[in-house]
Amino acid sequence: MSPAERNDGPWRRSWRRLYARRGARWALALLGLIMALALLVPALSPYDYAAPSWTHIFLRPSLRGGEWFGTDGLGRDLLVRVMWGCRISLLIGIAASLVSVLIGVAWGTAAGYIGGRTDGLLMRTVDVLYSVPFIPLVIVLEVLFGRNFLLVFIAIGAVSWLDIARIVRGQTLAIRSQNYIEAALALGVRTPAVIWRHVVPNLLGLVIVYATLTIPSVILFEALLSFLGLGVQAPLASLGSLVADGANEMQANPYLLLIPAAFLAAIILCLNYLGDALRDALDPRHD
Amino acid sequence: MTEARASLLRVRALSVSYPGPQGPLRALSDVDLDLDEHECLGVIGESGCGKTQLLLALLGLCGSAARVTGSIRYRGEELLGAAPARLAALRGRRIAMVFQEPQSALNPYLRIGEQLAEGARHHLKLTRRAALGRAAELLELVQISAPAARLRLYPHELSGGMRQRVTIAMALMCEPEILLLDEPTTALDVTIQAQVLEVLRSIRARTGVATLFVSHDFGALATLASRLTVMYAGRAVEQGAIGELYAAPLHPYTSGLLRSLPRLDLPVPLRLAAIPGQPPDLAQLPAGCAFAPRCPLVHPACAERPALRMRQGDHQVACHCELPAARIGEAWS
Amino acid sequence: MLRFLLRRALSAVPTLLVIATLAFVLLHLTPGGPFDSERVLVPQIQHSIEARFHLDEPLWRQYLRYLGDLAHGDLGPSFQYRNTSVNELIAQGLPVDVAIGGTAMLIALLLGGSIGLLAATRVGGWRDRLPMGLAMLGISVPLFVTAPLLILVFAIRLQWLPAGDWVSGSWRHLLLPSVALALPYTAYIARIVRSAAIEALASPFIRAARAKGLPSLTIVLRHALRPTLMPLVSFLGPALAGVLTGSIVIEQVFGLPGIGRFFVTGALNRDYTLVTGITVLYGALIIAMNVLVDLCYGWLDPRVRARQ
């Protein structure tokens, strides 16, 4: 470690370690590019994502014609639809992850910090929920209550907080048994202050890593629902429903499958890679 | 003269370095050692001075990233650069090692009988039953009661002192000629330390196994070792008979080290004396004497690295200053 | 050991009850009955059908009846498939899922395990980076993308294998769906095994074993294998849940007559008993897998065994 690095805080050191990885820089750049495109393209394009155009059915992707990604069976511009799909997928991914991280952290800290019977009860609940086949249940729900954006949200949030709660509990238990917590309590610092000053900052790195890794799993889940026709409503599209549409046409027009699949895979890949890189970068064992 | 003796183990100019971000990390630099039959040689130094690296280098276990140079001769046979199969045949058979932390040196997934027996089954081609029988004998030797029943236990079912005795028994399974002890008592309570040391002493009295005993605890070394090597920053700085070294240390570091032992016979403010400063960064060792930055007797000649030289009888020191022990002691106060 | 099994079996009961209740309540709370979609029935016939399926009873009676049957392992009659019980439908579909899921898990364990071990012994080299990069890709591309792509390449373009359909006992029909289902798990397992093996090989007791002069193969097999298997075993629970969901997708894409397809059509047709039955079956399978995982833990690690 060079002398200049020595006085930096742990966050800056972690960021430096992350940035030192070429793959992480590429993942960040690619993700930023996709986000920017998803925001800008639908706003700037002359085409609409929903309006069918019977004169433009199944146009092959071409740079000259103006339809860079081609058009689908209803003559809608695939570029605009894919960008809308990215918007929806990323929005659901980020929002549902936030919800599940909040629940998971609260649940896990409570269990780990209070301990005893509360811990037993909270974690037993998590165990039971682990055995519930959620995705089939969500499918049932979707069919019965109609396709509802909010429902997708709640369903996804309900599934994905379990892992975070378990991990946060384990970490909280480890922190709880540290001497500095005992010391702070012995000095008369009150429990909420101890949690806020000592426990939460020590959890932050872990939570960031798992939040990053939750987003892709949520996106995949939503895409799965949309693929089964249970996600977003047509004519709105998410990457999952675009893949489903494309799979039906793949024999004659494989680009309808390949392009949305590539965007979906790219987003998930970047997020997974970033999560891995963050985990390495935040690991203090690297110092 | 050390050169003339036919050593069991003869180490010359042994250096170990690891690649690091700021140049190589020199864990061990130009260490010379001789170990005779039946002898116990102690090695003392602060943590991070290269003691464990020395033992690992002797077994050829420094890992693929390490650069090891110099010479290690076992009964005249060069071990450095020897075929891996030859080294594996010596390890555990002729040269055995006891590790610092028994709880991590024992595999938690296997019964201790299994772990004791496997070395003897491999090296001595004993049957499983014979190896387990020998294991029970050795457990008795390290003063574990009901040995046959203990063989069926797992490491987590034993106490810390018991575990360390098991690892000692494990090292002795193939009747090695050289026993390497890496701080075998450091992880234990004081009373247990004494028991383990007593076990080691009685084993040496019975088997006469030559021992290289590495520790930072002078008291523990004094119970077993006849000669002592003092290490600092990966180098041997002083060598000699342990009594002589204790009575009249000739290196300022040894002098300071001995002064930092608690002295209950002195009034409270004088009972404990620390050496100020920190050991140097192994990636940026000074060109000269590594102890110079902390030395009270530092002078211009220290910019050049001192070699280990004979001073009185068998007593070797790597220091430019030629002062008698008493004067060096005064410099610390 | 026996007591542990018994305790686990008992503790599974409330979990199953929760699942069954959840599925039952959700299905019955929703608007619309199972026979609404059909042409308008004469009221008498409607009544007689409802009487046959006990739909005219109060909800709590239906619930108790359902639980009572469940306790006997009877999942009730299907609403949609006349004169067929849910048990019979499951018995029809399950072999397909077992064949595909089992083959997929076998492929994933063998392939993923050996890739992970190989990468762990060559950390940092191309034989580590290349397969791990592919594994990262593998966990990032969802099943419903790889499955159509496999069909596109191997069935439509190359015409090596059938694009779907199911012929019992035909490996040609089994191969493509199994491989598609195996791919993400191969990737996961390769990653898990690699990091577990790296950690196991770096542990101090491995160095101690080397210091005994044991041959490398003995060290790996006797000392490093068990700690490597531990994280893999804990992945089995989530893996089974994933395979169950995955098989729904795979059956959809390949048009296979497994439980997943009954499940989706059952949900679409409000076949109450079929859907709750399959949900309970899924839950029971996951619970059984979790018990198996705990048993494996105990078998591998004596410290866990002591606690059990």
Side-chain angles (χ1 to χ4, degrees):
Chain A
M1 192 180 289
S2 73
E5 233 178 294
R6 207 165 279 178
N7 293 326
D8 280 354
W11 291 108
R12 293 201 53 176
R13 266 209 307 267
S14 302
W15 168 250
R16 212 185 299 265
R17 273 200 298 266
L18 181 70
Y19 200 72
R21 281 176 72 158
R22 199 173 43 187
R25 287 203 301 269
W26 276 104
L28 266 176
L30 188 55
L31 208 58
L33 181 71
I34 292 176
M35 281 184 177
L37 286 176
L39 282 178
L40 292 177
V41 168
L44 298 178
S45 168
Y47 302 107
D48 184 63
Y49 74 89
S53 161
W54 306 112
T55 49
H56 290 85
I57 294 173
F58 289 134
L59 290 181
R60 292 291 164 107
S62 91
L63 285 181
R64 232 176 294 152
E67 289 92 3
W68 290 357
F69 287 2
T71 60
D72 67 2
L74 295 175
R76 295 172 298 193
D77 182 58
L78 191 62
L79 176 64
V80 174
R81 287 184 65 74
V82 166
M83 288 310 147
W84 264 99
C86 289
R87 276 190 185 186
I88 303 272
S89 290
L90 281 167
L91 186 74
I92 292 182
I94 292 169
S97 300
L98 271 180
V99 173
S100 74
V101 163
L102 281 179
I103 303 176
V105 170
W107 201 276
T109 344
Y113 195 87
I114 301 169
R117 271 205 190 152
T118 317
D119 181 26
L121 191 72
L122 292 178
M123 290 334 276
R124 190 78 198 100
T125 315
V126 171
D127 286 345
V128 170
L129 289 178
Y130 254 114
S131 297
V132 175
F134 259 109
I135 295 182
L137 262 189
V138 170
I139 293 173
V140 174
L141 278 176
E142 284 281 316
V143 171
L144 300 179
F145 290 98
R147 291 148 214 184
N148 184 329
F149 216 64
L150 194 70
L151 196 69
V152 177
F153 236 65
I154 295 171
I156 294 173
V159 188
S160 47
W161 64 270
L162 297 174
D163 285 320
I164 296 184
R166 270 198 180 169
I167 290 156
V168 164
R169 171 188 174 262
Q171 184 75 1
T172 309
L173 270 182
I175 298 168
R176 178 80 177 81
S177 62
Q178 294 287 317
N179 289 332
Y180 60 80
I181 300 283
E182 296 294 333
L185 289 172
L187 285 172
V189 182
R190 295 217 316 225
T191 305
V194 169
I195 293 181
W196 182 245
R197 291 281 304 274
H198 294 290
V199 180
V200 170
N202 277 303
L203 287 173
L204 215 53
L206 197 75
V207 170
I208 290 174
V209 170
Y210 279 90
T212 315
L213 291 172
T214 304
I215 298 174
S217 74
V218 167
I219 291 178
L220 279 183
F221 188 16
E222 187 280 328
L224 173 71
L225 289 178
S226 291
F227 178 80
L228 293 172
L230 303 168
V232 297
Q233 297 255 34
L236 209 59
S238 87
L239 290 173
S241 67
L242 288 171
V243 169
D245 295 347
N248 289 330
E249 300 288 346
M250 68 179 169
Q251 198 148 4
N253 299 294
Y255 66 93
L256 285 175
L257 169 65
L258 293 176
I259 292 173
F263 271 87
L264 181 60
I267 290 176
I268 307 288
L269 188 66
C270 287
L271 284 167
N272 274 337
Y273 190 89
L274 271 182
D276 264 20
L278 269 173
R279 181 168 25 204
D280 290 350
L282 287 166
D283 188 346
R285 276 182 294 183
H286 286 270
D287 280 346
Chain B
M1 286 295 291
T2 43
E3 301 293 322
R5 281 205 302 251
S7 292
L8 178 62
L9 194 67
R10 200 180 117 145
V11 175
R12 286 295 174 272
L14 183 63
S15 300
V16 176
S17 65
Y18 292 88
Q22 268 83 42
L25 208 76
R26 299 173 60 96
L28 216 58
S29 320
D30 297 317
V31 171
D32 294 353
L33 277 181
D34 289 277
L35 186 66
D36 293 337
E37 306 260 9
H38 312 310
E39 183 194 25
C40 178
L41 173 64
V43 176
I44 193 170
E46 294 165 79
S47 23
C49 74
K51 293 169 302 189
T52 303
Q53 287 302 320
L54 171 67
L55 298 188
L56 291 178
L58 294 181
L59 288 172
L61 288 177
C62 282
S64 53
R67 220 178 86 83
V68 186
T69 57
S71 155
I72 302 169
R73 281 178 187 273
Y74 159 75
R75 294 192 185 283
E77 176 189 353
E78 180 59 54
L79 297 186
L80 215 62
R86 175 62 187 146
L87 282 177
L90 287 176
R91 268 183 224 140
R93 174 70 189 91
R94 306 286 173 195
I95 309 175
M97 180 155 170
V98 174
F99 287 89
Q100 182 170 357
E101 284 178 343
Q103 64 271 29
S104 50
L106 289 169
N107 188 333
Y109 297 91
L110 299 176
R111 294 179 200 277
I112 62 162
E114 200 72 29
Q115 300 190 55
L116 280 162
E118 61 179 352
R121 288 175 69 186
H122 171 68
H123 288 297
L124 308 179
K125 306 289 174 229
L126 293 186
T127 62
R128 189 184 140 80
R129 174 179 289 231
L132 284 176
R134 167 139 184 85
E137 280 169 32
L138 274 163
L139 285 187
E140 195 151 21
L141 188 72
V142 295
Q143 296 163 22
I144 288 179
S145 57
R150 310 271 186 189
L151 293 176
R152 296 192 49 76
L153 297 181
Y154 288 96
H156 71 270
E157 295 170 306
L158 301 173
S159 69
M162 198 96 86
R163 269 181 239 153
Q164 192 59 295
R165 278 184 268 177
V166 168
T167 61
I168 291 168
M170 200 178 293
L172 296 170
M173 277 298 285
C174 300
E175 298 181 316
E177 291 164 285
I178 301 171
L179 184 61
L180 307 178
L181 302 174
D182 185 12
E183 309 226 21
T185 57
T186 306
L188 306 173
D189 288 345
V190 181
T191 48
I192 310 295
Q193 281 186 17
Q195 288 173 15
V196 169
L197 285 170
E198 168 53 27
V199 164
L200 285 169
R201 201 198 53 73
S202 80
I203 283 169
R204 280 190 37 77
R206 276 209 226 174
T207 64
V209 59
T211 309
L212 192 58
F213 183 1
V214 153
S215 178
H216 64 251
D217 179 351
F218 189 86
L221 288 165
T223 57
L224 290 183
S226 49
R227 282 191 307 134
L228 195 63
T229 292
V230 182
M231 286 189 55
Y232 184 76
R235 293 168 187 169
V237 293
E238 188 164 3
Q239 245 168 29
I242 191 162
E244 198 174 324
L245 228 117
Y246 183 66
L250 290 177
H251 194 286
Y253 174 65
T254 316
S255 178
L257 192 68
L258 291 175
R259 273 171 48 83
S260 63
L261 297 175
R263 292 275 303 273
L264 295 184
D265 53 332
L266 295 179
V268 171
L270 299 179
R271 279 183 186 174
L272 197 58
I275 303 178
Q278 299 288 324
D281 185 349
L282 292 177
Q284 291 157 340
L285 282 181
C289 173
F291 189 61
R294 300 168 81 182
C295 183
L297 290 166
V298 63
H299 69 99
C302 300
E304 197 177 313
R305 186 168 153 189
L308 204 58
R309 286 175 303 136
M310 210 61 75
R311 278 281 287 279
Q312 297 152 5
D314 218 9
H315 196 156
Q316 295 173 290
V317 187
C319 182
H320 292 298
C321 95
E322 309 254 329
L323 294 174
R327 292 283 305 281
I328 295 171
E330 279 166 27
W332 278 110
S333 33
Chain C
M1 173 70 183
L2 218 78
R3 264 181 54 195
F4 169 75
L5 270 182
L6 211 68
R7 213 173 57 223
R8 284 302 304 250
L10 280 178
S11 75
V13 171
T15 313
L16 271 178
L17 204 66
V18 168
I19 297 169
T21 310
L22 220 60
F24 183 87
V25 168
L26 285 174
L27 279 166
H28 285 260
L29 277 184
T30 50
F35 307 110
D36 286 0
S37 60
E38 307 192 5
R39 60 203 135 72
V40 183
L41 294 165
V42 186
Q44 279 90 343
I45 298 180
Q46 172 106 28
H47 276 305
S48 85
I49 290 178
E50 287 189 349
R52 205 170 95 213
F53 293 109
H54 307 289
L55 290 177
D56 51 349
E57 291 178 4
L59 207 57
W60 63 271
R61 290 276 309 259
Q62 289 186 42
Y63 176 62
L64 285 184
R65 187 185 296 280
Y66 179 72
L67 286 187
D69 289 345
L70 192 61
H72 296 99
D74 180 7
L75 297 169
S78 161
F79 288 167
Q80 204 63 38
Y81 300 83
R82 299 289 152 78
N83 303 320
T84 317
S85 75
V86 173
N87 290 32
E88 284 165 356
L89 287 176
I90 287 177
Q92 242 178 62
L94 199 59
V96 179
D97 291 276
V98 169
I100 293 176
T103 316
M105 284 316 279
L106 205 67
I107 295 175
L109 278 172
L110 291 179
L111 201 63
S114 32
I115 291 174
L117 279 181
L118 220 64
T121 54
R122 309 244 182 336
V123 178
W126 68 268
R127 272 169 294 192
D128 175 27
R129 283 151 168 250
L130 182 72
M132 283 307 121
L134 287 178
M136 182 57 109
L137 198 66
I139 65 171
S140 300
V141 183
L143 206 53
F144 54 83
V145 170
T146 45
L149 284 180
L150 283 176
I151 293 181
L152 183 62
V153 174
F154 291 101
I156 296 176
R157 288 287 142 93
L158 297 173
Q159 305 214 322
W160 287 353
L161 293 163
D165 221 348
W166 181 256
V167 178
S168 180
S170 151
W171 67 268
R172 284 169 51 85
H173 289 84
L174 181 68
L175 194 61
L176 219 45
S178 307
V179 168
L181 189 55
L183 277 180
Y185 299 99
T186 309
Y188 271 117
I189 288 173
R191 283 163 58 91
I192 290 170
V193 166
R194 172 183 178 268
S195 63
I198 289 175
E199 193 166 325
L201 287 173
S203 53
F205 60 77
I206 295 296
R207 197 165 68 179
R210 283 196 211 289
K212 284 194 216 171
L214 300 175
S216 297
L217 195 65
T218 312
I219 292 176
V220 169
L221 290 184
R222 194 182 297 159
H223 289 269
L225 192 61
R226 289 192 193 200
T228 305
L229 286 179
M230 292 293 278
L232 189 59
V233 165
S234 44
F235 176 66
L236 285 181
L240 179 76
V243 166
L244 291 179
T245 333
S247 65
I248 298 179
V249 174
I250 288 288
E251 286 167 30
Q252 196 88 341
V253 174
F254 287 89
L256 306 178
I259 294 180
R261 214 161 65 167
F262 286 132
F263 183 77
V264 175
T265 53
L268 288 167
N269 295 322
R270 299 180 191 284
D271 194 337
Y272 293 165
T273 43
L274 183 58
V275 169
T276 33
I278 292 176
T279 311
V280 170
L281 174 74
Y282 282 166
L285 283 176
I286 293 175
I287 291 171
M289 184 54 107
N290 285 339
V291 174
L292 193 69
V293 164
D294 283 349
L295 282 178
C296 280
Y297 273 149
W299 177 64
L300 286 172
D301 191 337
R303 291 167 295 184
V304 177
R305 206 177 314 154
R307 257 178 274 136
Q308 287 176 356

